[in-house]
Amino acid sequence: MTTQSLHPRIRLVWILRAALVAAVLSAPFAGAFYLGRLPRWAPVAAGAAFFALGAVHAVLKYRRWSYEIREDALYLDRGVVTQVRTTVPLVRIQHVDSRRGPVERGVGLASCVVYTAGSRGADVRIPGLTPEGASDLREELKRLAIRADGEDAV
């Protein structure tokens, strides 16, 4: 299988998240303005700077995020500041879920969550898929995991 990227609408989700984070991070600046400690432009400048950083991060994150399914494993490549490459052997897959949170539903996207054998929290999430794409990926990973488990059995 070729390397797959995420649906472009995931950038919108990540940029909306950046706007929310910018609003929260600029709240102390707004409070300081209302107390008379900062000029009027300071909260706006802080919010704009936080939002710009978050939006740039969202775009770079989208460019870096990819996944690939091979005969032996699922490969994930992601990260902006810290680049992470994850290999999930198909024989370690326990189960696979499709997930659609309220924000994802709002923009017509879904995620695929792959749970693996191992320690607590041993799961990977592939965001930014169409609902059909998440369902197809779930079914393909399930089929490959069952086949790999059968080949690995003694």
Side-chain angles (χ1 to χ4, degrees), residues 83-151:
Q83 295 180 351
V84 179
R85 291 192 172 123
T86 303
T87 303
V88 180
L90 296 175
V91 296
R92 304 287 291 169
I93 293 176
Q94 296 289 305
H95 67 280
V96 185
D97 289 340
S98 299
R99 186 176 294 174
R100 294 186 75 196
V103 175
E104 288 175 318
R105 281 193 309 271
V107 295
L109 295 177
S111 297
C112 188
V113 183
V114 181
Y115 297 91
T116 61
S119 63
R120 196 175 105 211
D123 60 321
V124 294
R125 181 176 173 262
I126 302 171
L129 303 170
T130 62
E132 300 80 28
S135 182
D136 292 346
L137 180 60
R138 183 189 72 231
E139 291 303 316
E140 182 177 2
L141 287 172
K142 180 179 88 170
R143 180 181 53 77
L144 290 170
I146 289 170
R147 188 172 62 182
D149 191 42
E151 291 171 359

Side-chain angles (χ1 to χ4, degrees), residues 30-117:
F33 162 71
Y34 285 115
L35 293 174
R37 301 225 162 99
L38 286 177
R40 172 173 281 170
W41 56 267
V44 174
F50 290 133
F51 176 71
L53 285 172
V56 167
H57 184 267
V59 170
L60 294 175
K61 183 177 178 179
Y62 171 75
R63 288 183 182 169
R64 180 72 179 144
W65 230 113
S66 64
Y67 68 95
E68 183 178 2
I69 301 171
R70 296 187 192 157
E71 288 298 316
D72 62 334
L74 168 65
Y75 296 88
L76 304 165
D77 196 10
R78 62 202 185 280
V80 176
V81 177
T82 302
Q83 295 180 351
V84 179
R85 291 192 172 123
T86 303
T87 303
V88 180
L90 296 175
V91 296
R92 304 287 291 169
I93 293 176
Q94 296 289 305
H95 67 280
V96 185
D97 289 340
S98 299
R99 186 176 294 174
R100 294 186 75 196
V103 175
E104 288 175 318
R105 281 193 309 271
V107 295
L109 295 177
S111 297
C112 188
V113 183
V114 181
Y115 297 91
T116 61

